[in-house]
Amino acid sequence: MYKFSLVILAFLIFSGCAISKNLKKDDGPCPGIHDPNAKVRLKAVMKCKDKDTLASVVLEDESLRVRGRAVKRIRSVSLLKELEGDVQDDDALPDEAREKLRAYIQEWRTVLQDKLKWKRMPRTMPEAEFLKAEKEPVTDADKAARTKALFELVNATRVKRGTYAVAWSPSLAKVAEAHVADLEKHPPQGKCNLHSWSSDGPWVPCCYTPDHKNAKCVTSKPGELTAYKGKGFENAAWDSLRMTPEQAVLGWLQSDGHRVVMLSQNEWKNPPWKALGVAISEHYAVIWFGHEPDPATHKKPVASKTGKGKTSQPEPNTIQELTPQNLEKVLETEKILVVVFTATYCGACKKLMPSLPKINKKLGSRVKIVTFTTDTNRSAGLLVKSLRAQSLRGVPTVWIKLPDTKKGKWDYQMAGLADGNVLQDILILLIAGEKPKIQMM
């Protein structure tokens, strides 16, 4: 009986070895690619160079991490494009996993297209001619024509598919233009997708990820950059060559998540879109929708007091010295008002003052900055009294008044603020509708 057991044990061990050898043989050019242990498969993926094997891993492996790593081992843009479609059609994958995997594929395809973009051109155009064409700037006339074409194509696509055309929104168009310019200058990196915003502008920077956890990153942008009161919702597209309206719309139609937004379908059917702004640059196209009508669409020119039929000039985007003559006009501004109290003898003031032009250049569309030199202004006492019935406690001091605050009231008063970066961060938060934590004086 004992000998019989040993024979059976030996047979099982031999069979196991044979099975193991067969499994390794089935791995083909990438040993360990089908190992039960995910860590082993991950290491195998890192060494694998066979694109067909990697493609099968992307579509079949149990681990999302292994799939994602396999995506970044593939060097074929066309194969990645096919895989993106296959992943989209894979009903066996949970929605969240499918979106994450599609994001991996899109991000890596973006990187590859940058490196291989000249190879996608027709063979009739040599590489040297293509590179020369890539350097030719897009003219303002070309950009305006393509912007108009994109707006008309989006609405034509909507009408053709049984829904309504959406009104043009100057405010959302301004947001769209700001975003494509930011994307061109600062392409998203890593997990951040096309809805992300850099820190180089008068907005709250953010990294938008496929899980949509930071949705406010997008919805708050119209309020950060314009007077538009509602939330904004964006579709974005990228192409390594020059983006066209047709490419952008086609891409959004092929993506379920983008199509339902653009065509007001499913959960996006109600409330209806009442505002649409678009922008297109060399490599990016974005469209912004809003549920609220844009007041800027119907805003009429304000008649000037200086003469009939004339219109008032836009508010100058410069830093002014506060005087009795311009006090009333300054207080009537529709922007966030910042009054900086300073003095010629003040060392801390000399540290703060050079940063004001930089802040004004970055945030001047939403913020009005005025200075007040207390030791040289003969009307200092009268002006302080006019601003508020309270004496000034020292310099530098910064007072901030929000547009909706009643005349004579101030939202923030900060004594001793000498750091321009801190002031800029506070203003960016206020533009975004946030309440910064500030120690009041």
Side-chain angles (χ1 to χ4, degrees):
M1 184 70 183
Y2 176 72
K3 291 182 179 180
F4 181 75
S5 299
L6 289 176
V7 170
I8 293 177
L9 182 61
F11 174 79
L12 290 174
I13 292 172
F14 177 81
S15 301
C17 292
I19 292 170
S20 176
K21 287 180 180 178
N22 287 335
L23 283 175
K24 288 182 180 179
K25 188 176 180 180
D26 290 341
D27 287 341
C30 303
I33 207 76
H34 296 128
D35 193 280
N37 190 319
K39 289 184 178 179
V40 175
R41 297 200 306 275
L42 194 63
K43 289 181 180 179
V45 165
M46 294 298 292
K47 297 178 180 179
C48 184
K49 296 181 180 180
D50 183 69
K51 65 179 182 179
D52 293 329
T53 304
L54 291 168
S56 67
V57 172
V58 173
L59 296 175
E60 299 169 4
D61 199 280
E62 296 176 359
S63 168
L64 185 63
R65 186 183 178 191
V66 174
R67 289 189 184 206
R69 185 61 66 181
V71 167
K72 295 192 175 182
R73 294 290 296 165
I74 295 173
R75 297 293 189 270
S76 168
V77 174
S78 58
L79 179 56
L80 287 170
K81 212 165 188 176
E82 290 177 18
L83 287 173
E84 186 179 348
D86 293 337
V87 168
Q88 176 62 34
D89 296 336
D90 188 359
D91 296 330
L93 267 179
D95 290 345
E96 186 177 353
R98 183 164 56 247
E99 286 304 313
K100 282 184 178 179
L101 190 54
R102 285 187 64 206
Y104 290 152
I105 295 172
Q106 288 173 349
E107 289 166 3
W108 184 237
R109 187 156 61 90
T110 297
V111 174
L112 282 184
Q113 283 174 323
D114 254 348
K115 295 179 180 178
L116 308 174
K117 57 186 177 180
W118 69 269
K119 293 183 180 179
R120 298 179 59 205
M121 293 297 292
R123 294 184 180 180
T124 53
M125 177 180 281
E127 181 186 359
E129 289 185 27
F130 165 70
L131 294 175
K132 181 181 177 182
E134 276 286 285
K135 294 177 182 178
E136 292 177 1
V138 175
T139 63
D140 290 340
D142 178 39
K143 187 183 292 184
R146 293 195 304 150
T147 299
K148 181 183 178 184
L150 177 59
F151 174 75
E152 291 176 347
L153 184 57
V154 169
N155 268 331
T157 304
R158 287 175 57 84
V159 171
K160 186 177 180 180
R161 294 178 183 244
T163 188
Y164 52 91
V166 186
W168 172 257
S169 167
S171 297
L172 294 183
K174 182 178 179 180
V175 177
E177 187 64 37
H179 198 198
V180 294
D182 186 49
L183 289 169
E184 290 284 0
K185 195 174 179 181
H186 305 285
Q189 301 293 327
K191 295 182 179 179
C192 307
N193 65 22
L194 294 180
H195 299 303
S196 304
W197 292 70
S198 76
S199 58
D200 186 18
W203 49 70
V204 177
C206 60
C207 171
Y208 198 100
T209 50
D211 56 17
H212 307 297
K213 287 184 178 179
N214 198 9
K216 192 176 179 182
C217 165
V218 172
T219 57
S220 65
K221 285 298 175 287
E224 294 173 27
L225 295 171
T226 70
Y228 188 78
K229 300 298 183 184
K231 293 180 178 180
F233 302 88
E234 182 190 44
N235 273 3
W238 177 89
D239 194 276
S240 64
L241 306 179
R242 287 192 177 177
M243 174 61 74
T244 68
E246 295 77 14
Q247 288 172 331
V249 171
L250 181 61
W252 293 325
L253 286 172
Q254 291 174 338
S255 165
D256 289 344
H258 295 90
R259 183 180 65 252
V260 293
V261 173
M262 184 172 67
L263 300 180
S264 300
Q265 295 175 343
N266 300 347
E267 69 271 26
W268 299 98
K269 189 172 183 179
N270 287 304
W273 297 131
K274 295 184 178 179
L276 169 61
V278 311
I280 185 168
S281 60
E282 281 205 49
H283 304 292
Y284 296 90
V286 299
I287 54 176
W288 282 76
F289 290 99
H291 294 307
E292 304 296 328
D294 185 0
T297 306
H298 310 290
K299 200 169 185 179
K300 296 179 180 178
V302 180
S304 171
K305 296 179 181 178
T306 57
K308 198 171 183 180
K310 296 181 180 179
T311 56
S312 59
Q313 296 298 315
E315 193 173 344
N317 186 19
T318 55
I319 299 176
Q320 298 173 289
E321 176 73 15
L322 194 62
T323 65
Q325 289 74 29
N326 66 10
L327 175 63
E328 286 302 317
K329 190 172 182 180
V330 166
L331 292 176
E332 289 173 0
T333 183
E334 295 181 357
K335 302 178 181 180
I336 295 174
L337 177 58
V338 180
V339 181
V340 181
F341 295 91
T342 181
T344 55
Y345 60 82
C346 169
C349 301
K350 293 176 182 178
K351 179 183 175 183
L352 174 63
M353 295 303 286
S355 64
L356 296 184
K358 298 177 183 177
I359 297 173
N360 189 61
K361 183 178 180 180
K362 194 170 185 179
L363 307 179
S365 62
R366 298 296 305 279
V367 174
K368 183 173 183 63
I369 301 176
V370 295
T371 57
F372 188 103
T373 310
T374 56
D375 59 336
T376 60
N377 197 320
R378 296 180 180 180
S379 307
L382 178 63
L383 283 172
V384 171
K385 189 174 181 180
S386 301
L387 290 169
R388 190 182 184 198
Q390 178 179 328
S391 59
L392 195 64
R393 297 183 181 179
V395 289
T397 292
V398 178
W399 288 6
I400 299 177
K401 177 179 174 292
L402 300 178
D404 297 332
T405 303
K406 292 181 180 179
K407 189 175 180 180
K409 301 287 184 180
W410 293 86
D411 297 279
Y412 300 96
Q413 301 169 55
M414 298 164 285
L417 178 58
D419 191 331
N421 292 328
V422 173
L423 177 58
Q424 178 173 294
D425 291 343
I426 290 170
L427 293 174
I428 288 176
L429 287 173
L430 291 174
I431 289 170
E434 304 285 345
K435 290 186 177 181
K437 294 180 180 180
I438 300 173
Q439 186 176 359
M440 306 296 288
M441 66 178 271

